[in-house]
Structure formats: C-alpha cells, structure tokens
Amino acid sequence: EVIRKRLLIDGDGAGDDRRINLLVKSFIKWCNSGSQEEGYSQYQRMLSTLSQCEFSMGKTLLVYDMNLREMENYEKIYKEIECSIAGAHEKIAECKKQILQAKRIRKNRQEYDALAKVIQHHPDRHETLKELEALGKELEHLSHIKESVEDKLELRRKQFHVLLSTIHELQQTLENDEKLSEVEEAQEASMETDPKP
C-alpha cells in the first residue's frame, strides 16, 4: 500500500517530488540553523539534493530527446511500412495481371492442343492436294465417258429413228403393193368374167 501511494504521488517513480520536498525542508532547516556546522551540513545536503535534481532533470531531458528521436524513427518506419504496403499492393495487382495473362495463355494453349489433335486426324495439305488432283482427273475421265456415252446414245437414237422411218416406209410400200395386187387381181377377175366380143 505504501509503495502504491508513493508511486501514485511520485508520478513515474523518479522521486522528483520527494527530492523537492527534501530540498524545501533542507532550505528551511538551513535558514533556521543555529550553528555554522549545522548550516554547512544543511548547505551540503541542499547541494547534493540540487545535484540529484539536476541529474534527474538531465536524465529526463535525455529520455525526452530519446522519445522524440524514437517518435521520428517510428514515423519514418511507419512511412516506410506504408510505402512497402503500397508497393505490395502494386505487386499484387501486377501479379493478378500476370495470373490472368497466364490463365489466358493456358486456355489458348489448350485450345491450340485441341485444334492440333483435330488437325492430326485429317490428312495434310500435300496429300489433300494429291487426292483433289486425282479426283479431278477421275472427274474429267468420267466427263469424257459421259460425253462418249451421250454421243453413242444420240447416234443410236438417230439410227433408231432412221430404222423406224425405214420400217414405216416399208410398211407403206407393202400396203401399196398389197393394194396394187388386189386391184390387179380384181381387174383380172373382172376381165375373166366379161364375155369376149
């Protein structure tokens, strides 16, 4: 309890209030001292207390300066940390862009691989051109065959038409011959039936 009270009265525990109280008491005793020896001892005590107070004040000033330097150092560290955080954010943004680009490249590569697999199932251009050339030659050959067959068919059609015309003429000729023979037979028959003069 006594220590707690002293700490509460003493502030940060440097004993300044107690030293000032002792200095005041020593000053009062020195003023009220009767003999020279007692005054001299009180004077020495006051000097000792003053030196302690000056030492304490110097130490406090040093601590204050140190605290100021520490605060400046902390401000500097804080700014460096802020700069580092800003740099880290920029790096993260750049890394995100690189990740997106890497994903895009990977997707493109997968698509290229799929297209390459599809292309590998088909013949190459040289073979395709050879096949097209062969098919062109075969088509040309078939066109010639078609033309030849059409020419033969047209010839057969003409020959068949000539044949039909010839058959028709032959039928007309036969019919005419039959009619003529019938007329001749009728004339002969009528001549036979008519009396001679």
Side-chain angles (χ1 to χ4, degrees):
E1 185 70 21
V2 172
I3 291 172
R4 189 164 66 86
K5 284 182 179 179
R6 281 188 179 179
L7 287 174
L8 288 174
I9 293 170
D10 201 18
D12 54 357
D16 293 336
D17 291 338
R18 189 173 61 84
R19 288 192 187 97
I20 291 171
N21 289 332
L22 286 175
L23 183 60
V24 171
K25 288 178 181 179
S26 298
F27 181 72
I28 292 170
K29 283 183 181 180
W30 179 68
C31 290
N32 294 326
S33 62
S35 62
Q36 188 176 0
E37 290 182 3
E38 187 179 352
Y40 183 74
S41 65
Q42 290 297 329
Y43 176 72
Q44 291 296 327
R45 284 179 191 166
M46 284 193 299
L47 289 177
S48 174
T49 305
L50 279 173
S51 65
Q52 287 179 359
C53 288
E54 287 176 354
F55 175 76
S56 178
M57 186 178 69
K59 187 172 78 170
T60 304
L61 287 173
L62 289 175
V63 170
Y64 177 73
D65 291 336
M66 183 188 71
N67 287 335
L68 288 177
R69 286 194 298 272
E70 284 294 321
M71 285 184 68
E72 291 176 358
N73 189 27
Y74 288 148
E75 286 290 332
K76 183 179 177 182
I77 292 172
Y78 178 73
K79 289 180 180 178
E80 289 176 357
I81 290 172
E82 281 188 341
C83 291
S84 299
I85 290 171
H89 283 302
E90 290 178 359
K91 286 183 180 178
I92 289 170
E94 186 67 27
C95 289
K96 284 182 179 178
K97 289 180 182 178
Q98 291 178 358
I99 288 171
L100 289 175
Q101 186 177 3
K103 285 182 178 178
R104 196 179 305 114
I105 292 171
R106 183 181 177 189
K107 183 181 177 183
N108 291 338
R109 284 182 180 172
Q110 289 176 350
E111 290 177 358
Y112 294 155
D113 291 339
L115 287 174
K117 288 179 181 178
V118 171
I119 290 170
Q120 284 178 353
H121 290 298
H122 297 284
D124 60 359
R125 185 174 181 180
H126 185 65
E127 292 180 1
T128 305
L129 289 175
K130 279 186 177 180
E131 290 179 2
L132 286 174
E133 187 178 354
L135 288 173
K137 288 180 180 178
E138 186 177 355
L139 183 62
E140 186 178 355
H141 179 65
L142 291 174
S143 297
H144 289 313
I145 292 173
K146 180 184 176 184
E147 289 176 0
S148 175
V149 169
E150 286 179 351
D151 291 340
K152 285 182 182 179
L153 183 62
E154 186 66 25
L155 180 63
R156 294 294 184 266
R157 191 177 291 121
K158 289 179 181 178
Q159 289 175 350
F160 185 69
H161 182 68
V162 170
L163 180 63
L164 286 177
S165 299
T166 306
I167 290 172
H168 185 65
E169 290 176 358
L170 184 60
Q171 283 179 348
Q172 290 291 330
T173 304
L174 288 174
E175 288 177 359
N176 291 335
D177 289 344
E178 285 180 2
K179 287 179 182 179
L180 186 62
S181 63
E182 287 177 358
V183 169
E184 287 178 353
E185 287 177 358
Q187 287 178 354
E188 288 178 358
S190 64
M191 287 180 64
E192 289 178 357
T193 55
D194 285 341
K196 292 182 181 179

